[in-house]
Amino acid sequence: MKKLFWLVVVILLIITFSDHNLIRPYKEQLFALIADKAAITGNSKEAALRTTRKQLLALSEQWGEGQRTQLEKASSSIDNLLIFQRNYCKNGDFNPFLYGEPLKQSCAIIENQMHNLTKP
């Protein structure tokens, strides 16, 4: 009970002083972590989509704008992600923006979450 009290106090302090430039990056990381953990306990498909999207967008930071846009569009929903995986990873269709190593890395990320994305 004591740990819960201190956790609530720390969260309230972070919210209170969240506008300060020194605290803002840590606050955003904490809120992202809480949102990820809450999504995992709620809907595993949505959590898998969020995780996959985060990994794809982090990977695309080193690539061009067209590739980043393509991955944002593909990871906007579970259906779009499954269509992308089917067309470009399984069927080997040509994607004018993603090909070669970037496509292989993207497909590997999607494949890691595929069991969670296709759960009933």
Side-chain angles (χ1 to χ4, degrees), residues 1-16 30-31 33-34 37:
M1 200 65 183
K2 192 175 187 180
K3 290 180 182 180
L4 179 65
F5 172 74
W6 285 112
L7 179 65
V8 170
V9 169
V10 168
I11 291 173
L12 289 175
L13 285 172
I14 289 172
I15 291 171
T16 303
L30 178 65
F31 286 160
L33 179 66
I34 290 171
K37 296 298 180 184

Side-chain angles (χ1 to χ4, degrees), residues 1 3 14 27 48 61 67-68 71 96 102-103 112 119:
M1 200 65 183
K3 290 180 182 180
I14 289 172
K27 177 196 78 164
E61 289 296 319
Q67 293 166 328
R68 188 173 316 124
L71 289 175
L103 181 62
N112 286 339
K119 280 185 178 178

Side-chain angles (χ1 to χ4, degrees), residues 9-10 17 46 64 67 69 80 83 93 113:
V9 169
V10 168
F17 298 108
E46 291 298 323
Q67 293 166 328
T69 303
N80 287 347
I83 289 169
D93 293 348
Q113 292 293 329

